[in-house]
């Protein structure tokens, strides 16, 4: 694998890096909003992968799948932010560390 | 050559904005960097020949979802910074390490695969004739019609759920 | 006319409904009285029309108004049959006569009551007229009913109205008790009546009067044995004895005098109490096939007549004297029915209705004048103050004493004549009764209107208003006139009433036909009427031929007539002598025969006997049953309760120790056993994400190593 010419694998590496960045964000931050945004980053990485494979195979099915992922991401964001608002009204905070009702 | 320049430039932008998103102090800054990140990804889509998806990326992600985030950031009037309380059990370092390790492993896999003799480097094939949007639309309304309808139902359910959650419960 | 016969009971019922629903709250006395009287007047007009019709066409007409009880499978003597009841009215000469009596006397008494009840509060006044109208409606239903079921509706309805009106002044304890007594004693009679109806249905498979008569006519006459017909008749007579106050069920009638006087006149003298005589007359064919029961009826009637008359001669309450007189006269009617002179019984029923209503209304005027006083001994010398009442009451007393040519003479003479022909002993009893009747009636007149004692009330008594005296005068005229329809052949009369009633009583009756209300007469009606007339004429001629007016029978009739007149005159004279000329004689007689006097004064101790046996027996049995309840049933229930409680406690302990213990042990073991796993549940989202990434890392590592 070389730096040039650009193959689909290059895009896969880029997507992996973006996914790792998102995962790092989820691990690092405590603000729930930024957590959500990190998840969006990860979803984007996945989309990037799909589009790259679509290019690789010369078929647009991957793009169709990416479209569905966009729809799911929208739904996730909407419901997640709704829960976030409700949570904020109850606890007056957005710190993920204070969301620990499941503690055993 | 031109494609290489575009790819590396865009990759730098994407990763750079991604780093800014997860490190910015203020949530508003994060959102702004997220928009820029999304736009860069959309350009990558164009490069890859997925024009329709690029438009959707701009409209839905950069236009819709991010606005939603901005609204929420403004709605929650934070009295104290969310970072104030810190749980000792969260093991942030371990998480970052694992994420990096995963990245390294994936990269290794990709590189090995690309270098394998059986999988000789496949150049990015030329864009398919007939127009990307037409093809996507054709597939969406024939083979994946049911999935498409289910997705719309999912969005409706998400909408109803969001309204229910966000409503004042008193 | 026939089609509209249902309007007869309808008008009084409508009056009762209007007065009962609206009058009690809103109507003035005048409006209430007008509604009640007009409804009766309309009914009277219809009854007259019906009577004329019945006289013209002497056949029975049945008017079908509607189905009531749909057919129900039933078992009868002749196998399976269907029991069903329909609203059928029957209009024939007997029903017409009864309807005329009920509406005529009913109307006069309504008129009288408008003044008599004037002092009642407004709501109470409307209530009275509501009950009175309702009574007339039910009485008309009773006499017009075409089958036993419709008749029974009327029968129970008049019983209800009687109860309501006896207890009209319900705040007075004695009136309420009297109402209850009447109701309960009537229940005993009604029991017999109802069982009799059931037995009749079982025997004949139908309850229609015409059909029953037709079928009974085909059964053999039970001369020697006490067969099915006799049982039915005896049961029906139990009902009749209850309603018509015969031995042993007469005790309620004297107490019924607690009700207002017009009620006593209408219900307990003129109409309702004659219902018993009416059912015997209505089922004359049936009864004539059970001679043994007829004998029982005759004996009971004669004994009742004598007993009640003997009690009446010592009673001091003016209304009670009349009550016992009523019982006595009803006894005479049953005697007549029992010896087979059904038309004589009905004739006496009619004349008695007139003169007894007259006497009761007269006594009401007296009570009215005396401001509520009913004790004969406190009265006296009222002749001067109450001239109209005096004259009319004397007319009534002469009639009941059997002085010619008043109504009572003809009817009573007919009964005595027929009884003499059948049984001399019963004739003797009846003759003594008529002697006593004349005696106690003129004792009453003497006590009330003669005597030197000034009345004890503070202000002088006054004659009643016109609305009370006019009915008295009309009834007095009726008392004089009504007997003329039954002048016997001996006196050159036609005995019109007997011929009039013959189609209802004779066994070979004209064919009845069914007519649906609102429809024209079925074809052939005129021919049927003509045929019926012919048949009757033939019967009459045959009867004349069979019993010719011979010298011997003529002479016997004359002799009996003279004798009964003489007896009446003797009774009157004795009363006159005892109570006007020599007032000390009765007291001496009472002292001399103190035992007899006490016996009569205490009404033969029958009430006390019933009280000691039946009433106390019922109470005692109830108390014993209560004890059984208390000890046995309550004990059983309590034991059961204790057992349940013990079982429940045991169950509770099992729950608490066994079941709860097991559940708690499961929970405790789960809680304590999870101490290792629990530490992994930090509740931090990022820790869970960490695990996911760890898994991803592990998977990728394995992949890398394995390739």
């Amino acid at each position: 694998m070389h730096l040039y010419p650009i193959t689909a694998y290059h895009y896969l590496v880029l997507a992996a890096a973006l996914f790792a960045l998102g995962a790092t964000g989820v691990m690092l931050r405590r603000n729930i909003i930024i957590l959500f945004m990190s998840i969006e980053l990860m979803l984007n990485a996945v989309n990037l992968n799909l589009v790259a494979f679509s290019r690789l195979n010369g078929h647009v099915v991957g793009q169709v799948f990416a479209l569905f992922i966009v729809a799911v991401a929208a739904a996730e964001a909407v419901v997640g932010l709704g829960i976030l608002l409700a949570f904020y009204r109850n606890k007056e905070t957005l710190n993920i560390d204070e969301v620990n009702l499941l503690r055993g | 050559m031109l494609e290489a320049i575009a790819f590396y430039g865009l990759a730098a932008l994407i990763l750079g904005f991604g780093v800014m998103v997860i490190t910015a102090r203020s949530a508003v800054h994060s959102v702004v960097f997220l928009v820029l990140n999304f736009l860069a990804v959309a350009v990558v889509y164009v490069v890859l020949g997925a024009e329709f998806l690029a438009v959707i990326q701009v409209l839905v992600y950069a236009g819709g979802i991010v606005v939603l985030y901005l609204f929420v950031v403004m709605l929650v009037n934070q009295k104290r910074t969310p970072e104030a309380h810190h749980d000792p059990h969260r093991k942030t370092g371990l998480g970052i390490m694992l994420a990096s390790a995963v990245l390294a492993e994936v990269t290794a896999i990709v590189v090995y695969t690309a270098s394998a003799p059986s999988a000789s480097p496949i150049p990015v094939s030329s864009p398919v004739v007939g127009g990307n949007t037409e093809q996507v639309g054709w597939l969406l309304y024939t083979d994946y019609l049911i999935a498409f309808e289910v997705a719309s139902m999912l969005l409706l359910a998400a909408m109803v759920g969001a309204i229910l959650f966000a409503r004042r419960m008193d | 006319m026939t089609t509209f016969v249902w309007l007869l009971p309808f008008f009084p019922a409508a009056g009762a409904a209007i007065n009962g629903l609206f009058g009690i709250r809103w109507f003035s006395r005048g409006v209430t009285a007008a509604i009640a009287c007009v409804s009766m007047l309309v009914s009277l007009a219809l009854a007259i029309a019906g009577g004329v019709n019945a006289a013209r066409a002497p056949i029975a007409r049945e008017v079908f108004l509607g189905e009531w009880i749909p057919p129900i499978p039933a078992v009868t003597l002749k196998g399976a049959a269907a029991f069903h009841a329909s609203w059928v009215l029957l209009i024939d000469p007997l029903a017409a006569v009864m309807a005329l009596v009920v509406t005529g006397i009913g109307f006069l008494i309504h008129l009288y009551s408008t003044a008599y009840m004037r002092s009642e509060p407004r709501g109470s006044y409307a209530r009275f007229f509501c009950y009175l109208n309702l009574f007339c409606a039910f009485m008309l239903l009773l006499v017009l009913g075409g089958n036993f079921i419709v008749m029974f509706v009327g029968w129970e309805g008049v019983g209800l109205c009687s109860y309501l009106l006896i207890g009209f002044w319900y705040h007075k304890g004695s009136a309420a008790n009297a109402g209850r007594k009447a109701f309960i004693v009537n229940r005993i009679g009604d029991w017999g009546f109802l069982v009799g109806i059931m037995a009749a249905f079982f025997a004949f498979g139908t309850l229609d009067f015409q059909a029953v008569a037709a079928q009974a006519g085909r059964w053999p006459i039970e001369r020697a044995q006490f067969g099915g017909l006799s049982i039915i008749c005896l049961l029906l007579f139990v009902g009749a004895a209850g309603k018509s106050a015969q031995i042993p069920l007469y005790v309620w009638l004297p107490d019924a005098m607690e009700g207002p006087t017009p009620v006593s006149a209408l219900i307990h003298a003129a109409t309702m109490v004659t219902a018993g005589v009416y059912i015997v007359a209505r089922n004359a064919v049936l009864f004539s096939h059970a001679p043994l029961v007829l004998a029982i009826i005759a004996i009971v009637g004669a004994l009742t007549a004598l007993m009640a008359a003997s009690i009446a001669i010592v009673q001091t309450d003016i209304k009670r004297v009349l009550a016992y007189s009523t019982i006595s006269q009803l006894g005479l009617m049953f005697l007549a029915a029992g010896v087979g002179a059904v038309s004589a019984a009905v004739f006496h029923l009619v004349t008695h209705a007139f003169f007894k209503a007259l006497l009761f209304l007269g006594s009401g005027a007296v009570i009215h004048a005396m401001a509520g006083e009913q004790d004969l001994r406190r009265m006296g010398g009222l002749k001067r103050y109450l001239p109209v009442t005096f004259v009319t009451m004397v007319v009534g007393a002469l009639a009941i004493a059997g002085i010619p040519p008043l109504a009572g003479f003809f009817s009573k003479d007919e009964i005595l004549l027929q009884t003499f022909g059948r049984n001399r002993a019963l004739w003797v009893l009846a003759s003594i009764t008529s002697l006593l009747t004349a005696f106690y009636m003129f004792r009453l007149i003497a006590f009330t209107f003669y005597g030197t004692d000034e009345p004890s009330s503070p202000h002088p008594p006054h004659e009643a208003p016109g609305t009370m005296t006019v009915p008295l005068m009309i009834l007095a005229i009726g008392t004089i006139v009504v007997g003329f329809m039954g002048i016997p052949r001996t006196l050159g009369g036609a005995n019109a009433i007997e011929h009039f009633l013959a189609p209802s009583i004779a066994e070979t009756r004209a064919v009845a036909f069914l007519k649906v209300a609102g429809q024209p007469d079925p074809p052939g009606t005129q021919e049927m009427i003509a045929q019926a007339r012919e048949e009757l004429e033939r019967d009459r001629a045959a009867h004349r031929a069979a019993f010719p007016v011979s010298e011997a029978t003529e002479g016997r009739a004359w002799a009996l007539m003279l004798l009964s007149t003489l007896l009446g005159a003797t009774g009157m004279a004795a009363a006159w002598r005892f109570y006007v000329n020599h007032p000390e004689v009765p007291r001496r007689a009472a002292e001399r025969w103190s035992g007899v006097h006490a016996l009569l004064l205490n009404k033969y101790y029958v009430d006390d006997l019933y009280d000691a046996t039946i009433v106390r027996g019922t109470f005692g049995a109830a108390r014993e049953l209560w004890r059984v309840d208390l000890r046995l049933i309550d004990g059983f229930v309590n034991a059961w309760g204790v057992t349940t409680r013990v079982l429940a406690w045991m169950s509770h302990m099992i729950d608490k120790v066994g079941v709860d213990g097991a559940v708690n042990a499961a929970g405790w073991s789960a809680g304590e056993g999870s101490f290792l796993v629990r530490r992994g549940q930090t509740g931090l989202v990022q820790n869970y994400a960490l695990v996911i990434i760890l898994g991803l890392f592990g998977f990728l590592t394995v992949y890398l190593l394995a390739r």
Side-chain angles (χ1 to χ4, degrees):
Chain A
M1 178 172 169
H2 307 284
L3 290 177
Y4 177 83
I6 304 298
T7 61
Y9 297 108
H10 292 80
Y11 288 98
L12 296 187
V13 173
L14 172 62
L18 193 56
F19 186 86
L21 209 57
T24 312
V26 170
M27 290 297 147
L28 192 67
R29 298 303 297 258
R30 269 165 291 181
N31 188 331
I32 304 177
I33 301 177
I34 297 181
L35 241 62
F36 272 110
M37 287 194 259
S38 304
I39 293 171
E40 298 294 345
L41 284 183
M42 289 155 84
L43 284 167
N44 253 290
V46 172
N47 271 359
L48 215 49
N49 261 348
L50 285 169
V51 175
F53 278 121
S54 155
R55 185 63 181 277
L56 189 66
N57 295 334
H59 200 276
V60 291
V61 177
Q63 293 177 27
V64 172
F65 208 90
L67 268 176
F68 287 128
I69 289 181
V70 171
V72 171
E76 173 254 10
V78 166
V79 175
L81 292 174
I83 294 173
L84 190 148
L85 272 178
F87 172 74
Y88 179 76
R89 269 209 295 275
N90 274 342
K91 299 203 85 169
E92 300 267 307
T93 180
L94 286 180
N95 190 340
I96 195 73
D97 283 5
E98 294 177 34
V99 190
N100 53 6
L101 282 173
L102 279 180
R103 185 198 287 274
Chain B
M1 188 65 207
L2 195 65
E3 196 188 359
I5 295 169
F7 173 74
Y8 286 114
L10 286 172
L13 279 176
I14 289 169
L15 294 179
F17 287 137
V19 171
M20 297 305 278
V21 168
I22 63 169
T23 52
R25 278 202 118 65
S26 155
V28 181
H29 291 175
S30 273
V31 174
V32 172
F33 287 123
L34 190 68
V35 176
L36 293 172
N37 178 285
F38 285 165
L39 290 175
V41 171
V43 177
V44 171
Y45 288 163
V46 174
V47 171
L48 282 173
E51 294 92 357
F52 180 68
L53 194 60
V55 173
I56 294 295
Q57 172 88 359
V58 173
L59 286 180
V60 176
Y61 262 126
I65 296 178
V66 169
V67 170
L68 202 63
Y69 276 101
L70 269 177
F71 264 117
V72 172
V73 168
M74 286 185 284
L75 275 174
V76 292
N77 172 27
Q78 302 205 26
K79 294 194 180 73
R80 55 196 171 114
T81 164
E83 317 287 325
H85 178 267
H86 180 258
D87 195 304
H89 294 104
R90 50 184 294 143
K91 307 202 171 45
T92 310
L94 182 61
I96 294 168
M97 268 168 58
L98 275 174
S100 311
V102 166
L103 173 61
E105 281 179 337
V106 169
T107 311
I109 290 169
V110 170
V111 168
Y112 280 132
T113 313
S115 312
S118 62
S120 56
I122 304 166
V124 174
S125 51
S126 53
V128 200
V129 287
N132 170 259
T133 309
E134 185 185 337
Q135 286 178 324
V136 171
W138 188 260
L139 274 181
L140 215 49
Y141 283 99
T142 53
D143 293 0
Y144 299 99
L145 183 65
I146 292 175
F148 183 70
E149 296 297 337
V150 170
S152 63
M153 284 305 297
L154 172 74
L155 284 171
L156 176 68
M159 191 167 76
V160 173
I163 292 169
L164 263 178
F165 276 126
R167 215 179 54 181
R168 291 205 173 273
M169 300 286 190
D170 43 26
Chain C
M1 161 60 213
T2 319
T3 314
F4 301 107
V5 67
W6 60 276
L7 287 172
L8 263 165
F10 172 78
F11 278 108
I18 293 169
N19 269 338
L21 291 175
F22 311 113
I24 292 175
R25 180 68 62 88
W26 292 296
F27 290 172
S28 70
R29 287 192 180 79
V31 175
T32 303
I35 288 170
C37 292
V38 166
S39 71
M40 285 310 294
L41 195 59
V42 174
S43 274
L44 174 60
L46 286 167
I48 290 169
V52 169
N53 201 43
R56 269 214 305 264
I59 68 171
R61 291 166 185 259
E62 281 189 343
V63 181
F64 176 80
L65 299 179
E67 274 297 323
W68 178 16
I69 303 173
I72 302 165
V75 175
T76 66
L77 209 55
K78 291 180 291 188
F83 174 83
H84 81 287
S86 42
W87 293 103
V88 172
L89 297 186
L90 172 69
I91 180 123
D92 67 350
L94 177 61
V97 166
M98 292 300 289
L100 272 172
V101 169
V102 172
T103 52
I105 302 213
F107 169 68
L108 290 176
I109 289 174
H110 272 73
L111 194 63
Y112 177 91
S113 305
T114 57
Y116 188 82
M117 302 301 283
R118 180 66 64 177
S119 56
E120 286 292 310
R122 204 162 50 84
S124 194
Y125 191 77
R127 188 164 61 89
F128 178 81
F129 279 101
C130 167
Y131 292 165
L132 213 57
N133 260 359
L134 191 64
F135 168 78
C136 289
F138 277 126
M139 191 67 206
L140 286 167
L141 199 61
L142 196 167
V143 299
L144 293 173
N147 57 38
F148 277 103
I149 301 289
V150 177
M151 186 202 205
F152 190 69
V153 173
W155 182 272
E156 290 298 325
V158 292
L160 167 72
C161 293
S162 160
Y163 163 76
L164 290 171
L165 284 165
I166 293 168
F168 182 73
W169 289 308
Y170 51 83
H171 43 80
K172 208 167 80 179
S174 58
N177 282 336
R180 270 200 293 275
K181 184 171 178 181
F183 204 72
I184 290 167
V185 175
N186 266 306
R187 284 273 72 67
I188 298 168
D190 293 350
W191 165 80
F193 191 52
L194 199 53
V195 176
I197 290 175
M198 292 171 192
F201 179 76
F202 182 70
F204 304 121
T206 177
L207 287 176
D208 192 271
F209 287 133
Q210 304 281 338
V212 166
Q215 295 213 25
R218 286 199 289 275
W219 284 44
I221 297 177
E222 295 171 345
R223 278 193 207 291
Q225 91 279 26
F226 205 84
L229 289 181
S230 302
I231 290 169
I232 294 169
C233 292
L234 190 65
L235 286 166
L236 293 178
F237 176 62
V238 170
K243 199 58 101 193
S244 292
Q246 296 300 294
I247 291 175
L249 299 176
Y250 69 91
V251 288
W252 64 272
L253 190 56
D255 286 14
M257 297 302 125
E258 292 286 349
T261 308
V263 171
S264 309
L266 178 61
I267 301 183
H268 305 120
T271 54
M272 185 189 83
V273 290
T274 62
V277 181
Y278 169 72
I279 60 167
V280 176
R282 173 53 78 206
N283 297 294
V285 178
L286 183 62
F287 277 89
S288 68
H289 282 248
L292 290 176
V293 176
L294 279 184
I296 292 172
I297 293 175
I299 292 163
V300 167
L303 287 177
T304 308
L306 183 60
M307 180 176 176
S310 65
I311 294 173
I313 59 175
V314 295
Q315 293 297 313
T316 53
D317 184 314
I318 183 168
K319 284 181 70 182
R320 273 175 188 266
V321 173
L322 291 174
Y324 281 107
S325 162
T326 303
I327 296 173
S328 167
Q329 297 298 311
L330 288 168
L332 280 184
M333 292 177 212
F334 275 106
L335 171 63
V339 298
V342 175
S343 59
V346 176
F347 184 31
H348 195 56
L349 187 161
V350 175
T351 57
H352 172 256
F354 275 92
F355 60 68
K356 189 51 66 71
L358 170 60
L359 287 169
F360 261 113
L361 295 188
S363 79
V366 169
I367 293 165
H368 181 79
M370 296 292 290
E373 181 58 60
Q374 297 193 14
D375 195 328
L376 284 173
R377 289 165 298 188
R378 305 235 177 95
M379 298 175 184
L382 288 177
K383 195 170 105 180
R384 260 187 305 150
Y385 304 100
L386 308 174
V388 179
T389 311
F390 169 67
V391 172
T392 52
M393 273 191 88
V394 166
V395 170
L398 287 171
I400 196 172
I403 303 301
L406 294 165
F409 166 74
F410 295 110
S411 55
K412 191 188 277 185
D413 182 66
E414 185 72 19
I415 293 173
L416 287 174
L417 179 64
Q418 300 270 7
T419 311
F420 187 82
R422 192 63 63 95
N423 188 314
R424 301 290 152 83
L426 291 176
W427 175 79
V428 170
L429 290 180
S431 298
I432 297 170
T433 302
S434 65
L435 176 69
L436 291 175
T437 304
F439 179 78
Y440 68 67
M441 201 43 73
F442 278 87
R443 169 176 173 269
L444 186 146
I445 297 284
F447 260 134
T448 314
F449 294 105
Y450 289 93
T452 49
D453 305 328
E454 280 301 304
S456 56
S457 65
H459 49 85
H462 54 92
E463 183 60 279
T467 42
M468 279 164 75
T469 50
V470 167
L472 285 178
M473 289 186 270
I474 295 174
L475 282 171
I477 293 165
T479 302
I480 296 165
V481 170
V482 80
F484 296 148
M485 67 184 180
I487 299 174
R489 277 186 283 149
T490 317
L491 291 181
N495 208 348
I497 181 114
E498 192 177 341
H499 295 149
F500 182 63
L501 289 173
S504 297
I505 291 159
E507 202 165 309
T508 57
R509 64 178 62 198
V511 189
F513 66 89
L514 203 66
K515 182 177 163 67
V516 178
Q519 303 289 319
D521 282 353
T525 307
Q526 292 307 319
E527 291 80 357
M528 213 179 282
I529 292 172
Q531 190 192 342
R533 274 218 189 94
E534 263 176 40
E535 271 180 33
L536 277 171
E537 280 306 322
R538 240 193 339 268
D539 278 3
R540 208 170 288 175
H543 185 264
R544 281 205 181 113
F547 301 98
V549 187
S550 66
E551 286 297 320
T553 54
E554 189 98 332
R556 189 167 78 183
W558 274 107
L560 285 174
M561 228 178 274
L562 275 175
L563 188 61
S564 77
T565 311
L566 208 61
L567 282 172
T570 311
M572 281 166 59
W576 193 262
R577 186 176 161 78
F578 281 11
Y579 293 98
V580 179
N581 292 347
H582 304 284
E584 75 285 351
V585 175
R587 214 169 298 133
R588 273 213 315 252
E591 278 161 15
R592 184 145 171 208
W593 293 295
S594 60
V596 176
H597 185 253
L599 187 68
L600 293 179
L601 199 61
N602 289 303
K603 303 161 264 179
Y604 294 102
Y605 298 102
V606 169
D607 271 320
D608 305 81
L609 181 71
Y610 285 174
D611 192 54
T613 56
I614 295 166
V615 177
R616 265 171 219 286
T618 309
F619 282 176
R623 202 169 291 119
E624 288 310 312
L625 285 173
W626 174 68
R627 290 228 175 83
V628 169
D629 253 18
L630 198 67
R631 303 257 164 80
L632 206 65
I633 296 176
D634 281 16
F636 180 71
V637 170
N638 287 341
W640 191 248
V642 168
T643 315
T644 311
R645 282 181 60 175
V646 169
L647 285 172
W649 180 80
M650 283 163 65
S651 177
H652 164 75
M653 289 316 284
I654 290 169
D655 255 18
K656 197 170 173 181
V657 176
V659 179
D660 282 16
V663 171
N664 287 339
W668 179 84
S669 57
E672 294 301 310
S674 68
F675 67 101
L676 271 177
V677 197
R678 201 164 50 201
R679 296 183 58 181
Q681 298 292 329
T682 58
L684 289 172
V685 178
Q686 277 137 342
N687 278 11
Y688 302 140
L690 198 64
V691 174
I692 296 173
I693 294 195
L694 198 64
L696 183 58
F697 172 73
F699 172 74
L700 288 174
T701 311
V702 170
Y703 183 80
L704 267 178
L705 293 177
R707 64 190 299 274

